[in-house]
Amino acid sequence: MGVRFGIMGTANIARKAVIPAIQNAQGAEVVSVASGSGRAREFAAEMGIEHYHDSYEAMLDDESIDAVYIPLPNTLHKKWTIAAAQKGKHVLCEKPAAITARDAMQMVQVCEENGVIFMEAFMYQFHPQHEIVREVIASGEIGDVKHMRTNFSFYIGDKPNNIRLNSELGGGSIWDVGCYCIHSSRFIIGSEPLKVYAQASIPKEVGVDLSAAGIFTFANGVTASFDCSFERQMSNSYEILGTKGSIHVPFAYRPDAPGAGGLIRIKNSEGNVREEMAEGEQYTLMVEHFTRCVENKHTPSYSGEATINNLKTIEACYESINKNQPVELV
C-alpha cells in the first residue's frame, strides 16, 4: 500500500511537480487534497485524486492519510506543520520550511515529540548529478576546493499579485531561489559559513528583494558567492573552483527543465574538459527517500538540523542587507 499522502493546498508546484512525483514514486500514493478556497473538488478531479476535503483540519482528521505535503505560502508552513504533527501525520514541507530559524526549530521539535518524520522539500539535492560532483571533489581531481559560485534567476515579469512579491507571505528572491544557492554551497562544501555579506535591490513599491548577491566565508577556509534574481532570464548553475581544476553544473537546480539535463563539466588545469551526464527525476527521488524514511522510521538524509542551519544563513543574509555590513554567524 505504501505511504498515503494528503496534499494541503492547490499550489502550482503541487500540480506540476510534486503530485505527479508522488503518483510515479514507488511506495507512495496521493489519496486526498484539501483546500480552504473551495477548489479541492475541482483540483482532485483534474489530478486524478479520489478524495478531497474542504478544510485542512478535515484532512488532518482523516485516518486514511499517513503524511501530508505542504505547498502553502511560506508564512503558513509553521502552523500547518505543527498541526499535522500533532495529528500524527508525517510532513514533507515545501521550501523554505519557515521564515525564521526559530520557527523551524519549533516545527522540528514538535515533529520529534510526536514521532513523525519531517523533511523540507529541497528536491534538487536528490538528483544524482550532485553525488557525482561530490565524488569528483573527494577524488582530488580538481585539487583543494577554494571557491564556489552559485546563481539562480528567472524573469518574474509584471505579476503584482504573485506571492513571491508579497512581503507578508515570505516573498523575495532570496527566499524563493537564493535559498537554493545558499543550500547548495553548504551541501557541496560540507561546512557551515562563519560570515556573510549580502546586498540586494529592494524597490520601495515592491517591498521585497528582486535581486540579491552575497559572499560567504566557511569554517574550512573556502569562500562562496551567490546571486539570485527575479529580474533576469532563467539561469541555475554552480561552479566549484579548485587548485587543479573546476566543476561546472549548468542546470544545478532545474535539470528537469526543457532542454536541460544533469550535465557536469570537469576542467583540469591544462584547460581540458570532460563531461559526465547524470539522469534522474529529482522530485520522484525526493518522494521515494521521504517515504522510505517514513516506512523505516529513519531520519532523512536532509535532517531538521540542516534545515535550521540553512535558515540561519538566510536570516544572516537579510540582516547583512539591512545593516549594509558583514554579519557573523554564531
Short mmCIF file of all heavy atoms in Angstrom, two decimals, residues 217-280:
data_model
loop_
_atom_site.label_atom_id
_atom_site.label_comp_id
_atom_site.label_asym_id
_atom_site.label_seq_id
_atom_site.Cartn_x
_atom_site.Cartn_y
_atom_site.Cartn_z
N THR A 217 32.08 33.16 3.96
CA THR A 217 33.35 32.59 4.38
C THR A 217 33.03 31.39 5.26
O THR A 217 32.32 31.52 6.24
CB THR A 217 34.19 33.61 5.16
OG1 THR A 217 34.41 34.76 4.36
CG2 THR A 217 35.54 33.01 5.55
N PHE A 218 33.56 30.22 4.87
CA PHE A 218 33.25 28.99 5.59
C PHE A 218 34.32 28.63 6.61
O PHE A 218 35.46 29.11 6.55
CB PHE A 218 33.08 27.83 4.60
CG PHE A 218 31.78 27.86 3.86
CD1 PHE A 218 31.62 28.66 2.74
CD2 PHE A 218 30.70 27.11 4.29
CE1 PHE A 218 30.41 28.70 2.05
CE2 PHE A 218 29.49 27.14 3.62
CZ PHE A 218 29.35 27.94 2.49
N ALA A 219 33.92 27.77 7.53
CA ALA A 219 34.81 27.38 8.62
C ALA A 219 36.06 26.67 8.11
O ALA A 219 37.10 26.71 8.77
CB ALA A 219 34.05 26.47 9.60
N ASN A 220 35.97 26.02 6.95
CA ASN A 220 37.14 25.30 6.42
C ASN A 220 37.99 26.16 5.50
O ASN A 220 38.86 25.65 4.79
CB ASN A 220 36.69 24.02 5.70
CG ASN A 220 35.72 24.31 4.55
OD1 ASN A 220 35.45 25.46 4.22
ND2 ASN A 220 35.20 23.25 3.96
N GLY A 221 37.73 27.47 5.48
CA GLY A 221 38.55 28.39 4.69
C GLY A 221 38.07 28.63 3.28
O GLY A 221 38.58 29.51 2.58
N VAL A 222 37.08 27.86 2.82
CA VAL A 222 36.53 28.04 1.49
C VAL A 222 35.60 29.26 1.48
O VAL A 222 34.95 29.56 2.48
CB VAL A 222 35.76 26.78 1.04
CG1 VAL A 222 35.14 26.95 -0.33
CG2 VAL A 222 36.69 25.57 1.07
N THR A 223 35.54 29.94 0.34
CA THR A 223 34.58 31.02 0.18
C THR A 223 33.54 30.61 -0.86
O THR A 223 33.78 29.72 -1.68
CB THR A 223 35.25 32.34 -0.26
OG1 THR A 223 35.98 32.11 -1.47
CG2 THR A 223 36.18 32.85 0.82
N ALA A 224 32.40 31.27 -0.81
CA ALA A 224 31.34 31.01 -1.79
C ALA A 224 30.60 32.30 -2.07
O ALA A 224 30.45 33.16 -1.19
CB ALA A 224 30.37 29.94 -1.26
N SER A 225 30.15 32.45 -3.30
CA SER A 225 29.36 33.62 -3.67
C SER A 225 28.06 33.16 -4.32
O SER A 225 27.99 32.08 -4.90
CB SER A 225 30.14 34.51 -4.65
OG SER A 225 30.53 33.79 -5.81
N PHE A 226 27.03 33.99 -4.18
CA PHE A 226 25.75 33.66 -4.80
C PHE A 226 25.12 34.91 -5.39
O PHE A 226 25.40 36.03 -4.96
CB PHE A 226 24.78 33.03 -3.79
CG PHE A 226 24.09 34.02 -2.88
CD1 PHE A 226 22.86 34.56 -3.22
CD2 PHE A 226 24.68 34.42 -1.69
CE1 PHE A 226 22.21 35.47 -2.39
CE2 PHE A 226 24.04 35.33 -0.84
CZ PHE A 226 22.81 35.85 -1.20
N ASP A 227 24.30 34.72 -6.40
CA ASP A 227 23.43 35.79 -6.86
C ASP A 227 22.11 35.17 -7.30
O ASP A 227 22.07 34.04 -7.80
CB ASP A 227 24.07 36.61 -7.99
CG ASP A 227 24.22 35.83 -9.28
OD1 ASP A 227 23.23 35.76 -10.04
OD2 ASP A 227 25.31 35.29 -9.53
N CYS A 228 21.05 35.90 -7.06
CA CYS A 228 19.70 35.42 -7.39
C CYS A 228 18.86 36.60 -7.82
O CYS A 228 19.13 37.74 -7.43
CB CYS A 228 19.07 34.70 -6.20
SG CYS A 228 18.92 35.71 -4.71
N SER A 229 17.84 36.33 -8.62
CA SER A 229 17.07 37.46 -9.15
C SER A 229 15.73 37.02 -9.72
O SER A 229 15.59 35.90 -10.22
CB SER A 229 17.88 38.16 -10.24
OG SER A 229 17.17 39.27 -10.76
N PHE A 230 14.76 37.96 -9.64
CA PHE A 230 13.50 37.85 -10.36
C PHE A 230 13.54 38.71 -11.63
O PHE A 230 12.53 38.85 -12.31
CB PHE A 230 12.34 38.38 -9.50
CG PHE A 230 12.00 37.52 -8.32
CD1 PHE A 230 11.40 38.11 -7.19
CD2 PHE A 230 12.22 36.16 -8.30
CE1 PHE A 230 11.05 37.35 -6.10
CE2 PHE A 230 11.87 35.39 -7.20
CZ PHE A 230 11.28 35.99 -6.09
N GLU A 231 14.69 39.32 -11.92
CA GLU A 231 14.78 40.34 -12.97
C GLU A 231 15.62 39.90 -14.17
O GLU A 231 15.91 40.72 -15.04
CB GLU A 231 15.38 41.62 -12.39
CG GLU A 231 14.61 42.19 -11.22
CD GLU A 231 15.26 43.42 -10.63
OE1 GLU A 231 16.31 43.27 -9.96
OE2 GLU A 231 14.72 44.51 -10.85
N ARG A 232 16.01 38.65 -14.23
CA ARG A 232 16.88 38.18 -15.31
C ARG A 232 16.35 36.88 -15.91
O ARG A 232 15.51 36.20 -15.30
CB ARG A 232 18.30 37.95 -14.79
CG ARG A 232 18.95 39.19 -14.20
CD ARG A 232 20.45 39.01 -14.06
NE ARG A 232 20.82 37.97 -13.12
CZ ARG A 232 21.08 38.18 -11.83
NH1 ARG A 232 20.98 39.39 -11.34
NH2 ARG A 232 21.43 37.18 -11.05
N GLN A 233 16.86 36.56 -17.07
CA GLN A 233 16.46 35.31 -17.72
C GLN A 233 16.85 34.12 -16.85
O GLN A 233 17.71 34.23 -15.98
CB GLN A 233 17.11 35.20 -19.09
CG GLN A 233 18.62 35.05 -19.05
CD GLN A 233 19.22 34.88 -20.43
OE1 GLN A 233 18.52 34.88 -21.43
NE2 GLN A 233 20.53 34.73 -20.49
N MET A 234 16.24 32.98 -17.14
CA MET A 234 16.47 31.78 -16.35
C MET A 234 17.95 31.38 -16.36
O MET A 234 18.58 31.29 -17.39
CB MET A 234 15.62 30.63 -16.88
CG MET A 234 15.99 29.26 -16.32
SD MET A 234 15.82 29.12 -14.51
CE MET A 234 14.05 28.88 -14.35
N SER A 235 18.48 31.17 -15.17
CA SER A 235 19.84 30.68 -15.00
C SER A 235 19.89 29.95 -13.68
O SER A 235 19.39 30.46 -12.67
CB SER A 235 20.85 31.83 -15.01
OG SER A 235 22.16 31.37 -14.77
N ASN A 236 20.45 28.75 -13.65
CA ASN A 236 20.51 27.99 -12.40
C ASN A 236 21.72 27.07 -12.44
O ASN A 236 21.64 25.94 -12.88
CB ASN A 236 19.21 27.25 -12.13
CG ASN A 236 18.93 26.11 -13.10
OD1 ASN A 236 18.99 24.94 -12.73
ND2 ASN A 236 18.62 26.44 -14.35
N SER A 237 22.84 27.58 -11.99
CA SER A 237 24.08 26.81 -12.11
C SER A 237 24.97 27.01 -10.90
O SER A 237 24.76 27.93 -10.10
CB SER A 237 24.84 27.24 -13.37
OG SER A 237 25.33 28.57 -13.23
N TYR A 238 25.96 26.14 -10.78
CA TYR A 238 27.04 26.41 -9.84
C TYR A 238 28.37 25.95 -10.43
O TYR A 238 28.41 25.12 -11.34
CB TYR A 238 26.79 25.82 -8.45
CG TYR A 238 26.72 24.32 -8.29
CD1 TYR A 238 27.83 23.49 -8.52
CD2 TYR A 238 25.56 23.71 -7.82
CE1 TYR A 238 27.76 22.12 -8.32
CE2 TYR A 238 25.49 22.34 -7.61
CZ TYR A 238 26.59 21.55 -7.86
OH TYR A 238 26.53 20.19 -7.65
N GLU A 239 29.43 26.54 -9.91
CA GLU A 239 30.79 26.23 -10.35
C GLU A 239 31.68 26.14 -9.13
O GLU A 239 31.63 27.00 -8.24
CB GLU A 239 31.32 27.28 -11.31
CG GLU A 239 32.67 26.93 -11.91
CD GLU A 239 33.11 27.92 -12.97
OE1 GLU A 239 32.53 29.03 -13.02
OE2 GLU A 239 34.04 27.61 -13.73
N ILE A 240 32.49 25.09 -9.09
CA ILE A 240 33.41 24.87 -7.97
C ILE A 240 34.82 25.01 -8.50
O ILE A 240 35.20 24.35 -9.47
CB ILE A 240 33.20 23.47 -7.36
CG1 ILE A 240 31.75 23.33 -6.87
CG2 ILE A 240 34.16 23.22 -6.22
CD1 ILE A 240 31.21 21.95 -6.98
N LEU A 241 35.59 25.89 -7.87
CA LEU A 241 36.94 26.19 -8.32
C LEU A 241 37.95 25.60 -7.35
O LEU A 241 37.92 25.89 -6.15
CB LEU A 241 37.14 27.70 -8.41
CG LEU A 241 36.08 28.46 -9.23
CD1 LEU A 241 36.34 29.96 -9.17
CD2 LEU A 241 36.06 27.98 -10.67
N GLY A 242 38.84 24.76 -7.89
CA GLY A 242 39.87 24.14 -7.08
C GLY A 242 41.26 24.52 -7.52
O GLY A 242 41.45 25.23 -8.52
N THR A 243 42.26 24.04 -6.82
CA THR A 243 43.65 24.38 -7.14
C THR A 243 44.14 23.71 -8.41
O THR A 243 45.12 24.15 -9.01
CB THR A 243 44.57 23.98 -5.97
OG1 THR A 243 44.36 22.58 -5.67
CG2 THR A 243 44.27 24.81 -4.73
N LYS A 244 43.46 22.64 -8.87
CA LYS A 244 43.91 21.91 -10.05
C LYS A 244 42.84 21.86 -11.15
O LYS A 244 43.08 21.26 -12.20
CB LYS A 244 44.29 20.48 -9.67
CG LYS A 244 45.48 20.37 -8.72
CD LYS A 244 45.76 18.91 -8.41
CE LYS A 244 46.92 18.75 -7.44
NZ LYS A 244 47.18 17.31 -7.12
N GLY A 245 41.70 22.45 -10.91
CA GLY A 245 40.64 22.38 -11.91
C GLY A 245 39.34 22.93 -11.39
O GLY A 245 39.29 23.55 -10.31
N SER A 246 38.26 22.68 -12.14
CA SER A 246 36.96 23.22 -11.75
C SER A 246 35.85 22.27 -12.20
O SER A 246 36.05 21.41 -13.06
CB SER A 246 36.73 24.59 -12.37
OG SER A 246 36.71 24.50 -13.79
N ILE A 247 34.68 22.44 -11.59
CA ILE A 247 33.49 21.67 -11.94
C ILE A 247 32.36 22.66 -12.20
O ILE A 247 32.09 23.54 -11.38
CB ILE A 247 33.06 20.72 -10.80
CG1 ILE A 247 34.20 19.80 -10.39
CG2 ILE A 247 31.84 19.91 -11.21
CD1 ILE A 247 33.92 19.00 -9.13
N HIS A 248 31.69 22.50 -13.34
CA HIS A 248 30.57 23.38 -13.69
C HIS A 248 29.32 22.53 -13.88
O HIS A 248 29.33 21.55 -14.63
CB HIS A 248 30.88 24.15 -14.98
CG HIS A 248 29.78 25.06 -15.40
ND1 HIS A 248 29.41 25.25 -16.72
CD2 HIS A 248 28.95 25.86 -14.68
CE1 HIS A 248 28.41 26.11 -16.78
NE2 HIS A 248 28.12 26.49 -15.57
N VAL A 249 28.26 22.90 -13.16
CA VAL A 249 26.96 22.22 -13.29
C VAL A 249 25.97 23.25 -13.83
O VAL A 249 25.48 24.10 -13.09
CB VAL A 249 26.49 21.65 -11.93
CG1 VAL A 249 25.17 20.90 -12.10
CG2 VAL A 249 27.55 20.73 -11.34
N PRO A 250 25.69 23.23 -15.14
CA PRO A 250 24.90 24.31 -15.75
C PRO A 250 23.42 24.31 -15.40
O PRO A 250 22.76 25.34 -15.51
CB PRO A 250 25.11 24.09 -17.25
CG PRO A 250 25.48 22.65 -17.38
CD PRO A 250 26.23 22.30 -16.13
N PHE A 251 22.89 23.15 -15.00
CA PHE A 251 21.47 23.07 -14.62
C PHE A 251 21.37 22.47 -13.22
O PHE A 251 20.81 21.39 -13.02
CB PHE A 251 20.69 22.24 -15.64
CG PHE A 251 20.90 22.70 -17.06
CD1 PHE A 251 21.66 21.95 -17.94
CD2 PHE A 251 20.36 23.90 -17.50
CE1 PHE A 251 21.86 22.37 -19.24
CE2 PHE A 251 20.56 24.35 -18.80
CZ PHE A 251 21.32 23.58 -19.67
N ALA A 252 21.93 23.19 -12.28
CA ALA A 252 22.11 22.64 -10.93
C ALA A 252 20.80 22.39 -10.21
O ALA A 252 20.67 21.40 -9.49
CB ALA A 252 22.98 23.59 -10.10
N TYR A 253 19.83 23.27 -10.39
CA TYR A 253 18.61 23.19 -9.58
C TYR A 253 17.40 22.74 -10.38
O TYR A 253 16.45 22.22 -9.80
CB TYR A 253 18.34 24.55 -8.93
CG TYR A 253 19.59 25.11 -8.27
CD1 TYR A 253 20.17 26.29 -8.73
CD2 TYR A 253 20.21 24.43 -7.23
CE1 TYR A 253 21.33 26.79 -8.14
CE2 TYR A 253 21.37 24.91 -6.65
CZ TYR A 253 21.93 26.09 -7.12
OH TYR A 253 23.08 26.57 -6.55
N ARG A 254 17.42 22.94 -11.69
CA ARG A 254 16.29 22.51 -12.53
C ARG A 254 16.78 21.72 -13.75
O ARG A 254 16.55 22.09 -14.89
CB ARG A 254 15.48 23.72 -13.00
CG ARG A 254 14.76 24.46 -11.88
CD ARG A 254 13.91 23.56 -10.99
NE ARG A 254 12.98 22.72 -11.71
CZ ARG A 254 11.72 23.05 -11.94
NH1 ARG A 254 11.24 24.20 -11.52
NH2 ARG A 254 10.92 22.21 -12.59
N PRO A 255 17.45 20.58 -13.50
CA PRO A 255 17.85 19.74 -14.62
C PRO A 255 16.66 19.14 -15.35
O PRO A 255 16.81 18.59 -16.45
CB PRO A 255 18.70 18.65 -13.96
CG PRO A 255 18.18 18.57 -12.56
CD PRO A 255 17.83 19.99 -12.20
N ASP A 256 15.46 19.25 -14.74
CA ASP A 256 14.25 18.71 -15.34
C ASP A 256 13.60 19.67 -16.32
O ASP A 256 12.64 19.30 -17.01
CB ASP A 256 13.25 18.36 -14.23
CG ASP A 256 12.94 19.56 -13.33
OD1 ASP A 256 13.85 20.40 -13.11
OD2 ASP A 256 11.80 19.65 -12.84
N ALA A 257 14.12 20.89 -16.45
CA ALA A 257 13.54 21.87 -17.36
C ALA A 257 13.79 21.45 -18.81
O ALA A 257 14.77 20.77 -19.11
CB ALA A 257 14.13 23.25 -17.10
N PRO A 258 12.91 21.85 -19.72
CA PRO A 258 13.11 21.51 -21.14
C PRO A 258 14.47 21.97 -21.65
O PRO A 258 14.88 23.12 -21.42
CB PRO A 258 11.98 22.27 -21.84
CG PRO A 258 10.92 22.41 -20.79
CD PRO A 258 11.66 22.60 -19.50
N GLY A 259 15.19 21.09 -22.31
CA GLY A 259 16.49 21.43 -22.85
C GLY A 259 17.63 21.40 -21.86
O GLY A 259 18.77 21.73 -22.20
N ALA A 260 17.33 21.02 -20.61
CA ALA A 260 18.36 20.99 -19.58
C ALA A 260 18.91 19.56 -19.46
O ALA A 260 19.09 18.87 -20.45
CB ALA A 260 17.81 21.50 -18.25
N GLY A 261 19.20 19.12 -18.24
CA GLY A 261 19.72 17.78 -18.02
C GLY A 261 20.81 17.80 -16.97
O GLY A 261 21.30 18.87 -16.58
N GLY A 262 21.19 16.63 -16.52
CA GLY A 262 22.18 16.51 -15.45
C GLY A 262 23.60 16.49 -15.98
O GLY A 262 24.32 15.50 -15.83
N LEU A 263 24.01 17.58 -16.58
CA LEU A 263 25.34 17.69 -17.18
C LEU A 263 26.35 18.22 -16.18
O LEU A 263 26.08 19.20 -15.48
CB LEU A 263 25.28 18.61 -18.40
CG LEU A 263 26.60 18.90 -19.13
CD1 LEU A 263 27.18 17.63 -19.74
CD2 LEU A 263 26.38 19.97 -20.20
N ILE A 264 27.52 17.57 -16.13
CA ILE A 264 28.62 18.03 -15.27
C ILE A 264 29.86 18.18 -16.13
O ILE A 264 30.23 17.24 -16.86
CB ILE A 264 28.92 17.04 -14.13
CG1 ILE A 264 27.65 16.75 -13.30
CG2 ILE A 264 30.04 17.55 -13.24
CD1 ILE A 264 27.15 15.35 -13.46
N ARG A 265 30.48 19.36 -16.10
CA ARG A 265 31.71 19.60 -16.85
C ARG A 265 32.88 19.73 -15.88
O ARG A 265 32.85 20.58 -14.99
CB ARG A 265 31.60 20.87 -17.69
CG ARG A 265 30.57 20.83 -18.80
CD ARG A 265 30.72 22.00 -19.75
NE ARG A 265 29.74 21.97 -20.82
CZ ARG A 265 28.62 22.70 -20.83
NH1 ARG A 265 28.38 23.54 -19.84
NH2 ARG A 265 27.77 22.62 -21.83
N ILE A 266 33.91 18.91 -16.10
CA ILE A 266 35.10 18.95 -15.25
C ILE A 266 36.28 19.42 -16.10
O ILE A 266 36.58 18.81 -17.13
CB ILE A 266 35.40 17.56 -14.64
CG1 ILE A 266 34.20 17.06 -13.81
CG2 ILE A 266 36.64 17.62 -13.76
CD1 ILE A 266 33.38 16.01 -14.50
N LYS A 267 36.90 20.51 -15.68
CA LYS A 267 38.04 21.08 -16.41
C LYS A 267 39.30 20.95 -15.57
O LYS A 267 39.30 21.26 -14.37
CB LYS A 267 37.80 22.56 -16.72
CG LYS A 267 38.93 23.24 -17.50
CD LYS A 267 38.71 24.74 -17.61
CE LYS A 267 37.55 25.05 -18.51
NZ LYS A 267 37.44 26.54 -18.75
N ASN A 268 40.40 20.49 -16.20
CA ASN A 268 41.66 20.39 -15.46
C ASN A 268 42.49 21.64 -15.65
O ASN A 268 42.10 22.57 -16.37
CB ASN A 268 42.43 19.12 -15.86
CG ASN A 268 42.89 19.13 -17.32
OD1 ASN A 268 43.00 20.18 -17.96
ND2 ASN A 268 43.16 17.96 -17.85
N SER A 269 43.66 21.69 -15.02
CA SER A 269 44.49 22.89 -15.02
C SER A 269 45.05 23.22 -16.40
O SER A 269 45.48 24.35 -16.65
CB SER A 269 45.65 22.73 -14.03
OG SER A 269 46.40 21.57 -14.34
N GLU A 270 45.02 22.25 -17.31
CA GLU A 270 45.50 22.48 -18.67
C GLU A 270 44.39 22.93 -19.62
O GLU A 270 44.62 23.14 -20.80
CB GLU A 270 46.15 21.20 -19.20
CG GLU A 270 47.39 20.77 -18.40
CD GLU A 270 47.95 19.46 -18.90
OE1 GLU A 270 47.28 18.81 -19.74
OE2 GLU A 270 49.05 19.09 -18.46
N GLY A 271 43.19 23.07 -19.08
CA GLY A 271 42.07 23.53 -19.88
C GLY A 271 41.29 22.43 -20.59
O GLY A 271 40.34 22.71 -21.32
N ASN A 272 41.67 21.18 -20.37
CA ASN A 272 40.93 20.07 -20.96
C ASN A 272 39.63 19.84 -20.20
O ASN A 272 39.61 19.87 -18.96
CB ASN A 272 41.79 18.80 -20.94
CG ASN A 272 43.06 18.96 -21.77
OD1 ASN A 272 43.02 19.51 -22.87
ND2 ASN A 272 44.18 18.49 -21.23
N VAL A 273 38.57 19.56 -20.95
CA VAL A 273 37.25 19.40 -20.34
C VAL A 273 36.72 18.01 -20.64
O VAL A 273 36.79 17.52 -21.77
CB VAL A 273 36.26 20.44 -20.88
CG1 VAL A 273 34.87 20.22 -20.29
CG2 VAL A 273 36.75 21.86 -20.57
N ARG A 274 36.20 17.37 -19.61
CA ARG A 274 35.45 16.13 -19.81
C ARG A 274 34.05 16.32 -19.24
O ARG A 274 33.85 17.14 -18.33
CB ARG A 274 36.15 14.93 -19.17
CG ARG A 274 36.18 14.92 -17.65
CD ARG A 274 36.86 13.65 -17.14
NE ARG A 274 36.88 13.58 -15.69
CZ ARG A 274 35.89 13.07 -14.96
NH1 ARG A 274 34.81 12.60 -15.55
NH2 ARG A 274 35.98 13.03 -13.64
N GLU A 275 33.11 15.59 -19.78
CA GLU A 275 31.72 15.75 -19.36
C GLU A 275 31.16 14.43 -18.85
O GLU A 275 31.50 13.36 -19.35
CB GLU A 275 30.86 16.26 -20.52
CG GLU A 275 31.24 17.66 -20.98
CD GLU A 275 30.30 18.17 -22.07
OE1 GLU A 275 29.53 17.34 -22.64
OE2 GLU A 275 30.34 19.38 -22.36
N GLU A 276 30.30 14.54 -17.86
CA GLU A 276 29.53 13.40 -17.38
C GLU A 276 28.05 13.79 -17.38
O GLU A 276 27.72 14.97 -17.22
CB GLU A 276 29.97 12.98 -15.98
CG GLU A 276 31.38 12.42 -15.92
CD GLU A 276 31.61 11.57 -14.68
OE1 GLU A 276 30.62 11.02 -14.15
OE2 GLU A 276 32.77 11.46 -14.26
N MET A 277 27.19 12.83 -17.57
CA MET A 277 25.76 13.07 -17.57
C MET A 277 25.07 12.16 -16.55
O MET A 277 25.32 10.95 -16.53
CB MET A 277 25.16 12.81 -18.96
CG MET A 277 23.67 13.05 -19.06
SD MET A 277 23.20 14.79 -18.85
CE MET A 277 23.72 15.45 -20.44
N ALA A 278 24.28 12.76 -15.69
CA ALA A 278 23.53 12.01 -14.68
C ALA A 278 22.04 12.13 -14.98
O ALA A 278 21.56 13.20 -15.34
CB ALA A 278 23.83 12.55 -13.29
N GLU A 279 21.33 11.04 -14.85
CA GLU A 279 19.90 11.04 -15.10
C GLU A 279 19.13 10.70 -13.83
O GLU A 279 19.58 9.89 -13.02
CB GLU A 279 19.55 10.04 -16.20
CG GLU A 279 20.15 10.38 -17.56
CD GLU A 279 19.72 9.41 -18.63
OE1 GLU A 279 18.99 8.46 -18.30
OE2 GLU A 279 20.12 9.60 -19.80
N GLY A 280 17.98 11.34 -13.68
CA GLY A 280 17.15 11.07 -12.52
C GLY A 280 16.05 12.10 -12.43
O GLY A 280 16.23 13.25 -12.86
#
